[in-house]
Amino acid sequence: WPARHEAGQDDPSCPPMGARFRLDAGFTLPASQCSAMCQTVLETMTTYGLILADNGSNWYFQGTADTRWTDTEVDQLKAIPASAFVAVDESSLEVSADSGQATGVEAPGPGYRLVAADGGVFAYGDAAFYGSAGGVHLRAPVVGTADTADDGGYWLVASDGGVFAYGDAAFAGSMGGRHLAAPIVGMAADPGGGYWLVASDGGVFAYDAPFAGSTGGVALARPVVGMRALPGGGGYWLVAGDGGVFPFGAANFHGSMGGDLLDAPVVALG
């Protein structure tokens, strides 16, 4: 278990189909023998392990053929000895030998929310509904949303900078009723609490969140269309319609489509 099939001869001296093996946390390969991509695979094997799924050569790792892998990087993984793995007993999780269902494991349920321009919120899956601005007269359409760090609430923001808080999301302020040089186009939540609003000219407005900079006052080839917070906090990225990306604070620049020919404009940053 969880395998429900076998292939070939049943040999009690070999590990059974479905057995999970985890790379020992104390095992390492020096950087000179293991590239960054190789190190990522080692970390994954340590965290999640591997499941015996097929017959083959001794300790043969199966993967998808990809041109981004070089023969050298694949060979680096072959330096991991069988003795570096430990067997994981998963028998206590079995519900039935004929089912892959596990007990004692609470898997996070997927879900999401849709937000309409009138402030209506539609929750699907296990995403909680905490309220909406649907049915409320708005002076400007809603253009963005952001979840709290614990997903216990969310904010909506309108193009005039008005902010609406639901659940355990705290209202920290807004640009509603104030003059804006350009309309608000999105928002992002600071993992430490609070949120930022961003305008189409790249102006950023911080509320209970650290201000790390903006493109307000900078001539842009295309207007900003969205922002994303650095997951660990301390910075954020802005993105423009031409794919230009602008990092601020601790957020690093990893590349952009700025200057490249696009068939359609960029509309969001995920």
Side-chain angles (χ1 to χ4, degrees):
W1 184 88
R4 295 184 297 282
H5 76 286
E6 58 182 66
Q9 183 178 357
D10 184 12
D11 185 347
S13 67
C14 295
M17 201 72 71
R20 184 187 293 269
F21 294 88
R22 180 180 57 78
L23 189 62
D24 190 277
F27 177 80
T28 59
L29 282 176
S32 60
Q33 299 178 31
C34 190
S35 66
M37 190 175 288
C38 170
Q39 295 288 352
T40 298
V41 175
L42 261 60
E43 293 174 7
T44 304
M45 290 180 174
T46 300
T47 304
Y48 301 104
L50 303 94
I51 293 179
L52 181 59
D54 200 358
N55 293 331
S57 303
N58 294 338
W59 296 98
Y60 187 89
F61 308 139
Q62 290 181 313
T64 301
D66 194 309
T67 55
R68 290 171 293 182
W69 282 100
T70 66
D71 290 340
T72 298
E73 288 170 323
V74 173
D75 287 340
Q76 289 173 344
L77 294 177
K78 297 178 182 179
I80 306 173
S83 59
F85 289 90
V86 295
V88 179
D89 182 4
E90 298 183 310
S91 60
S92 63
L93 303 179
E94 181 180 335
V95 174
S96 168
D98 294 322
S99 171
Q101 181 183 359
T103 185
V105 177
E106 184 177 350
Y112 50 84
R113 305 180 190 92
L114 308 182
V115 179
D118 66 353
V121 176
F122 309 91
Y124 297 91
D126 71 344
F129 175 78
Y130 298 109
S132 78
V136 176
H137 175 70
L138 300 175
R139 293 184 297 180
V142 169
V143 293
T145 184
D147 299 335
T148 58
D150 63 357
D151 200 32
Y154 46 80
W155 298 273
L156 308 182
V157 65
S159 62
D160 66 350
V163 174
F164 309 90
Y166 301 93
D168 65 5
F171 177 78
S174 78
M175 292 298 293
R178 300 176 62 181
H179 174 72
L180 293 171
I184 298 297
V185 294
M187 73 181 306
D190 174 27
Y195 47 83
W196 299 278
L197 311 182
V198 63
S200 63
D201 63 354
V204 174
F205 307 92
Y207 297 92
D208 284 352
F211 176 76
S214 77
T215 60
V218 177
L220 299 174
R222 292 290 186 274
V224 167
V225 295
M227 75 181 306
R228 181 192 175 195
L230 187 66
Y236 43 79
W237 296 272
L238 308 183
V239 65
D242 63 352
V245 175
F246 309 91
F248 296 95
N252 294 323
F253 178 75
H254 299 288
S256 77
M257 292 299 295
D260 293 340
L261 179 63
L262 296 173
D263 292 332
V266 169
V267 296
L269 178 66

